[in-house]
Amino acid sequence: MTQTSKIAIVTGAGSGIGKATAMALLKDGWSVVLAGRRLANLEEVAAEAKALNAKYQVLAVPTDVTQEDSVANLFAQCVKTFG
């Protein structure tokens, strides 16, 4: 993926308000890292976003925000992908 100046990490992005927030950010030109506990839900949101616009830059990272190592992995994947 290419680097962008606007990158957002959205927790709870697999459904509800988190999903809506992620989709709004994507539509506004942001690259979005989808974070949540269920990878399948995150992948569904990513696929839905890509179906709307193949140029959307979206990354799904399963994350449990109550676990320090999981959050560290989230940020590592974000940096690895978007710089």
Side-chain angles (χ1 to χ4, degrees):
M1 294 186 180
T2 59
Q3 189 172 3
T4 181
S5 61
K6 299 187 304 183
I7 302 165
I9 295 174
V10 179
T11 59
S15 65
I17 294 171
K19 177 182 175 181
T21 300
M23 297 300 279
L25 288 165
L26 285 164
K27 290 175 184 175
D28 196 38
W30 289 68
S31 294
V32 175
V33 181
L34 306 172
R37 291 182 291 158
R38 295 178 185 88
L39 179 58
N41 291 10
L42 300 175
E43 288 174 337
E44 286 178 18
V45 173
E48 183 179 328
K50 287 290 191 178
L52 290 174
N53 186 336
K55 293 184 180 182
Y56 284 162
Q57 294 186 19
V58 59
L59 173 66
V61 180
T63 307
D64 181 345
V65 297
T66 68
Q67 301 298 316
E68 186 175 342
D69 60 334
S70 186
V71 174
N73 178 63
L74 170 66
F75 281 92
Q77 293 301 315
C78 180
V79 170
K80 179 180 175 183
T81 302
F82 296 112

